Every structure is written in structure tokens, then in C-alpha cells.
Amino acid sequence: MTELIKVTHVSKQFGGICALNDVSLTVYKGEILGLIGPNGAGKTTLFNILTGFYTATSGELSLNDVSMRGLLAHQVLQRGIARTFQNIRLFANMSVLENVMVGRHSRTHTGVVGAVLRHRRARVEEVAIRTRAHELLHLVGISRHSQTLAKNLSYGDQRRLEIARALASDPQVLALDEPAAGMNPAERDTLKQLIRDLRDALGLTLLVIEHDVPWMMSLCDRIAVLDFGEKIAEDTPANIRTNPRVISAYLGDGA
Amino acid sequence: MTARKQAWFTFVALAIGLALLPLLVEAGLGRSWVRILDLTLLYIMLAVGLNIVVGYAGLLDLGYIAFYAVGAYCYALLASPQFGLHLPFWVLLPTGALLAGVFGLLLGAPTLRLRGDYLAIVTLGFGEIIRIFLNNLNTPINITNGPQGVNLIDPIRIAGFSLGKTQHLFGVTFSSPQLYYYFFLVLTLIAIFVALRLQDSRIGRAWAAIREDELAAQASGINLRNTKLLAFAMGATFGGLAGGLFAGFQGFISPESFNLMESIMILCMIVLGGMGNIPGVILGAILLTVLPEALRYVGDLQRAWIGHVVVDPADLRMLLFGFALILMMLFRPAGLLPSRRHLNELRHD
């Protein structure tokens, strides 16, 4: 297995609070890696560091053995890590199609001159953006809503749209922050299938944060467990289930 | 095909209407109204430019008139007896627009992290700083001639053809304001064209995205810094161009033409017409330039009917203006011709 992302001894402090303490993690190409842990364990903080929204206080990050330290969010996306947000962040007053078209920004080049003159290259690119956006909407299964405003979509479809927008940047890695939050069991099952399909169809590597442990156990190839900013386990779902440190983190020391 | 024919018919009718407008207005209402038409075109250009910053990218700019001032002073200082320079207009206008664009970057750079009311205050300060500089740069070296302003600015001259005096063309006599009208009309149409094209492009979508949600825009690969600076610079360029035209048209400029009230008026044009929507912005600019001028007749009417002026038209102007804004807020909060996007934003369903 090829190592894709390497997180080495990463710590993050907010003032006096240590949100992440010396976390090391390896993500292999093509796997679905789950990130679980109680509330406030530092899962989202790790996501934010990986995607350039926070800078690590110390430690090293690399993608394909190239350091990612100090990159800004849009630069991280350019390198190939796309993300979704825990509390859905769409461009609410833009159409579903436009949302995905914006997601294509990093892979396109038309500037002011091209936009105004609409020369051949700009027109070809615009058509390509639109075509790709339609394809992705079809892939996540919301193509019939392409002209709807993003904010008028149902909750589950908004999550799907966020995934489509992230995919528009042709990422190598897709990081999903609580993608199943607020979904009913049936929707969760479809989402699980979608995530697997995306990996198989696009050769993606997936990072998933989710609280629903049984759901994660059946989805992920491997699971890393965070607790109070420290990584306490990184293993296959079967081994995680029996890991005593994980059990005590979730159920307390008396268990 | 009929829809296309209809579009052509509208286009031709509009073109003929716009071409005949200054001739009819001069014949019917007098030359001063042609000058008002010219100013209206300049305000349309300004409103379209500010709309890029405020309407497209959602960056509230209360100091926009500063770019108008930069363009105007750039033209005035390089084409007047002030320094004895008399450069041609095709150097002056691009230089003014470019310089204003640079000032746009200068304003944009320190305010990248600011949004909403914080940004509004900083831009307001910026606008005032430029005006106060222009007011005071007459000592120790006299650059701007201070509060007296710059006088005897060269009229715009295209290949020896001056727009500043009456000309005879094709057997028709055109007054100077009429000539300026046609020149401004061409440039205004170009400005509108550029703004429309930008709106419906990769760049326009990026602006809309940062207006909607900066974090999500970054996560979608948009370089926040460059995209915001581009909006500031583009808007400022439009302002600088209009400023240059204003200086050539008026022949005289002084710092008091570029006060905060002007910035607010241009912002009001956008808000009244419909933020983010070009036809709305144009309508707003026309209404807020033409209606105050029309109010001048109220003074004459009062004199004719009552014998003396009871309500000063200037006071009435502000009163009606405030009243109009309140009515707008109540009944059409997204503007007279709102953009689809902004209208949706105000609906909370």
C-alpha cells in the first residue's frame, strides 16, 4: 500500500488549550479511513489542519512525500485534498449547478480578459466546467435539482451537493466531516454506498469523521481513534472494537 | 425565431432612441438637460463599477468616490495649465483608470480580513483621506491647487476633434454636451458589457462565492486575497475612467466634488435599483441623477402658484430621498429590479 498522507507529531494549541497533542497518522492510497472519538477529541481540528484552515503549532504534514506545512486552504485543494464541512457550507443563494461549477475553480484558468472577450479557449473551458458539473450531480444523484437554489435542497441532498462540489476539484483525497449527521438510517445506508462507489469509480482516498460507530465499522477499512487530542488507536474495525483503550474512552474507566 | 426578431427590434429601437435622445432633449428641455444626461452616463458607469465590489463580491465600500477623484485629478493634472502638461485623451483616460486600479489594490490589501460594517468604516476613512489629501496638497509644493481646485482642464479631443465646442457633422450641428453624450454613451456601454460578461464567468462565480461564504469559497479553491483584490481593482478602474471623463467634461474640478455624500449616493443607486443586477443598477443611477434635477422645477412652481418659495427644493430633495429609501426598505428591500440571487437572500423561507 502506498502512503498518501503522512501526519507526523502534529500538535495544535489554542491559547492554553491543547486540541491536538503529538498526533501521527498515515493515510494509504485508496482506503477509507475513519476518524472517531468523543466530542472535543480533536477530529475536526485535525481536518482543519489537514485542509489548510488551521496551521499546526508543531509537527509535519505531507501529501505524496511533499510537505504541506503552511499551505492555505485553496492551495491544499490545488494539491488534491478536498473537504466538506460538519455544518454544511454551501453557497446558499446560488443554484445547485453553480455550486458545483464554483468547485471547479481550482482546475480552470479563465481570467478577466477571457471572461470579457469570451475567446475560444474561455468558451471551451466554460462548457467543460458545466459538463463536468452535470456529471458530478448525476454521480451523487441530485441531477434533477440542478437549477434549484442550494438552500432549498433537503438536508441529505445538501450533503450530497457538498460532496459534488468537493469532487469538482478532481481531488485525490476527500475528507468528509460528519457526512451522515442528521440523516435517517435509510439515508445513511445510501450514503455509505455512495462513499464506496466514489472510491471505486474515482479511485479516491477517503477520510471520514462520524459519530455513528457501527456505521463507521462497516464502512471503513481502518479507523483511528482520538481522545482528548491524542490518538489512542489506529487499526482495523475488528481490532478497534476490542481495543481496551477505545472501550474505556467511550464507556469510561469502570467499563 | 420570433423571439429573436423581437430582440432585434428592441435592440434597434433602443439604439435609435439613445442616438436621438440628446437631440430631442436639447430641443425640448434645453442644453442644461443634455449636460444632466452626460452626468447620468457617468453615474451609470460609477454605479456599475461599484456594483462589482458591493453587488458581486459583497464588499461594502463607502469610499468609492475616491477612485473617481483619483481618475479626475490624474486627468486634470496632466491636461491643464497646472503643470503646463497637455497629454492626449488616449493616454489620460487609461492612465487615470490604471492609477485608480492601483489605488483600489492599496485600499483592498489592508482590508482583506474585514467584512461588513468594519470594511465599510475603513473604506469610508479611505475616501475621506483621499479628499483631504487633495484639499491639502497645495503646500509645501503645489500639486493639486488645494481647495481652489484645478481649472481650465483640456476638453476631450479625439484626433484633433474637440468635444468641448460646437461641431458640424453630416449637416447637423452638435453642441458640446451632445458630443460628450455620444462619447460617454459608447464608454458606458463598454463598461456595462464588461460588467455583464464578468458576472457570468468563472471570475463572477468566484465573487459570488466569497459573497456567500468565505470559508466555503476557500475550500472550493478560491484564492480569497486575489479574488477580493481583483474586485476592488476592477471597481476602482471603472471609477477612475469615469473620473477622467468628468474632469475633461467639466473643465474644472475641486476636492468638494468628491465628498462622502457622493459615495453614499452611488451606493444608494445600487441599493435602490437592485444590488448585483446591472439593469437595476442602471435604473437606480438614472433615477437618482435625473429626479433631483427635476425637483428644481418645484421651486419655480411654488413661485408661480404661491408667489414665493415655501419649501426649498434642496431640502425637499433630501426629504424625498429619505422617504424613498424607507419605502424601498418596506416594499422592495432587494431593489426595484432585484437580482435573483440577492432577492433570494432576503427571503427567509
Side-chain angles (χ1 to χ4, degrees):
Chain A
M1 285 200 290
T2 334
E3 290 177 353
L4 195 60
I5 297 179
K6 273 182 89 163
V7 176
T8 9
H9 304 299
V10 161
S11 299
K12 175 69 187 176
Q13 262 147 354
F14 294 105
I17 298 160
C18 185
L20 276 183
N21 186 18
D22 198 28
V23 169
S24 297
L25 188 70
T26 308
V27 185
Y28 296 96
K29 194 169 165 48
E31 74 172 343
I32 301 177
L33 177 70
L35 215 50
I36 62 172
N39 282 327
K43 305 181 296 290
T44 299
T45 305
L46 183 58
F47 255 41
N48 283 338
I49 289 172
L50 266 175
T51 50
F53 281 89
Y54 293 163
T55 321
T57 313
S58 63
E60 184 51 51
L61 296 164
S62 69
L63 175 72
N64 288 323
D65 286 326
V66 184
S67 172
M68 292 201 298
R69 232 185 116 72
L71 291 188
L72 298 171
H74 69 270
Q75 295 168 317
V76 172
L77 188 84
Q78 190 82 36
R79 298 274 181 97
I81 303 181
R83 73 170 293 176
T84 65
F85 293 89
Q86 189 177 335
N87 45 347
I88 308 172
R89 301 193 86 107
L90 292 169
F91 307 120
N93 297 299
M94 294 169 83
S95 75
V96 165
L97 184 69
E98 282 175 318
N99 267 271
V100 186
M101 288 172 81
V102 170
R104 195 87 192 126
H105 191 88
S106 61
R107 301 292 171 223
T108 46
H109 309 282
T110 305
V112 170
V113 178
V116 173
L117 299 182
R118 284 211 190 141
H119 49 58
R120 197 179 164 71
R121 189 149 38 91
R123 287 201 309 270
V124 169
E125 189 175 87
E126 189 71 11
V127 171
I129 294 172
R130 200 170 284 272
T131 313
R132 181 71 183 141
H134 276 298
E135 281 170 14
L136 289 168
L137 287 177
H138 189 74
L139 186 69
V140 301
I142 52 172
S143 51
R144 66 188 180 287
H145 297 305
S146 67
Q147 297 308 318
T148 314
L149 289 184
K151 67 173 179 189
N152 293 339
L153 285 183
S154 72
Y155 195 79
D157 284 348
Q158 291 195 3
R159 291 251 176 236
R160 285 163 184 274
L161 175 55
E162 219 188 359
I163 292 174
R165 185 180 68 192
L167 290 175
S169 65
D170 298 338
Q172 304 177 52
V173 182
L174 179 60
L176 304 172
D177 197 347
E178 299 198 17
M183 287 187 177
N184 64 37
E187 285 174 323
R188 278 166 192 248
D189 281 345
T190 349
L191 179 70
K192 192 193 291 178
Q193 197 50 49
L194 174 67
I195 293 174
R196 288 198 186 116
D197 289 349
L198 288 178
R199 177 192 37 193
D200 299 337
L202 304 171
L204 281 179
T205 304
L206 285 122
L207 280 174
V208 185
I209 293 180
E210 192 48 68
H211 280 292
D212 183 341
V213 177
W215 187 82
M216 288 289 267
M217 293 283 180
S218 60
L219 170 70
C220 300
D221 299 314
R222 291 191 313 130
I223 288 179
V225 188
L226 288 177
D227 188 29
F228 289 115
E230 295 191 27
K231 189 185 79 177
I232 56 172
E234 179 185 350
D235 216 327
T236 58
N239 291 343
I240 289 289
R241 198 172 282 139
T242 53
N243 185 313
R245 284 194 71 187
V246 176
I247 293 168
S248 78
Y250 267 89
L251 300 176
D253 286 328
Chain B
M1 257 343 236
T2 37
R4 197 159 181 182
K5 240 181 211 165
Q6 206 171 353
W8 259 107
F9 182 75
T10 317
F11 178 78
V12 171
L14 201 66
I16 294 173
L18 285 174
L20 292 180
L21 190 62
L23 305 174
L24 297 175
V25 165
E26 179 148 345
L29 295 164
R31 189 162 294 174
S32 67
W33 272 96
V34 184
R35 288 184 61 83
I36 293 166
L37 282 186
D38 294 352
L39 285 174
T40 308
L41 288 172
L42 289 182
Y43 277 111
I44 292 176
M45 213 182 287
L46 284 171
V48 166
L50 181 60
N51 183 53
I52 292 180
V53 187
V54 182
Y56 291 177
L59 304 162
L60 186 50
D61 184 351
L62 286 183
Y64 186 66
I65 206 71
F67 305 122
Y68 190 50
V70 167
Y73 267 87
C74 181
Y75 185 105
L77 296 180
L78 297 177
S80 71
Q82 176 75 355
F83 292 125
L85 292 169
H86 298 280
L87 301 182
F89 88 98
W90 53 266
V91 175
L92 291 166
L93 292 181
T95 311
L98 208 69
L99 191 68
V102 171
F103 271 81
L105 293 179
L106 285 179
L107 167 65
T111 57
L112 284 172
R113 287 165 186 278
L114 305 178
R115 268 191 84 80
D117 22 13
Y118 298 95
L119 179 64
I121 290 297
V122 176
T123 52
L124 188 150
F126 175 82
E128 286 297 282
I129 287 169
I130 297 284
R131 185 181 63 81
I132 291 165
F133 258 95
L134 295 174
N135 218 7
N136 292 294
L137 276 181
N138 52 348
T139 50
I141 315 160
N142 186 4
I143 301 173
T144 63
N145 211 22
Q148 278 94 41
V150 185
N151 213 337
L152 298 171
I153 302 167
D154 299 348
I156 294 172
R157 202 176 284 116
I158 302 163
F161 183 88
S162 172
L163 301 183
K165 51 180 186 247
T166 305
Q167 301 272 6
H168 303 278
L169 278 177
F170 321 113
V172 186
T173 311
F174 290 97
S175 65
S176 163
Q178 288 175 332
L179 295 170
Y180 272 110
Y181 170 87
Y182 291 114
F183 185 55
F184 288 1
L185 182 65
V186 170
L187 291 177
T188 306
L189 290 176
I190 293 174
I192 293 169
F193 175 79
V194 169
L196 283 173
R197 281 269 165 114
L198 281 175
Q199 181 176 25
D200 187 21
S201 73
R202 172 175 175 267
I203 304 285
R205 280 192 300 269
W207 283 334
I210 58 172
R211 211 180 67 78
E212 290 280 324
D213 188 328
E214 283 193 5
L215 273 185
Q218 281 175 290
S220 304
I222 291 165
N223 183 332
L224 216 53
R225 184 194 61 199
N226 292 0
T227 312
K228 280 188 178 183
L229 285 181
L230 184 64
F232 273 118
M234 286 303 299
T237 307
F238 281 51
L241 179 66
L245 296 173
F246 177 69
F249 171 65
Q250 289 283 22
F252 165 74
I253 55 166
S254 71
E256 65 181 302
S257 306
F258 309 107
N259 56 30
L260 176 62
M261 203 52 215
E262 287 288 311
S263 285
I264 291 178
M265 279 306 275
I266 300 167
L267 189 64
C268 285
M269 291 170 184
I270 297 179
V271 174
L272 180 81
M275 206 187 282
N277 187 31
I278 296 287
V281 167
I282 296 170
L283 178 68
I286 293 173
L287 285 180
L288 286 194
T289 325
V290 173
L291 286 185
E293 298 296 334
L295 275 183
R296 282 171 207 267
Y297 291 114
V298 174
D300 298 339
L301 282 179
Q302 290 178 44
R303 216 169 283 122
W305 290 348
I306 313 171
H308 57 99
V309 178
V310 182
V311 186
D312 184 21
D315 295 341
L316 199 62
R317 181 180 154 179
M318 291 320 276
L319 185 77
L320 286 180
F321 188 51
F323 193 58
L325 280 183
I326 292 172
L327 287 181
M328 287 290 300
M329 267 182 249
L330 286 174
F331 298 110
R332 293 203 73 114
L336 294 174
L337 299 174
S339 81
R340 184 173 59 91
R341 218 167 262 158
H342 284 261
L343 187 63
N344 289 319
E345 200 167 288
L346 287 162
R347 284 196 185 132
H348 295 291
D349 48 21

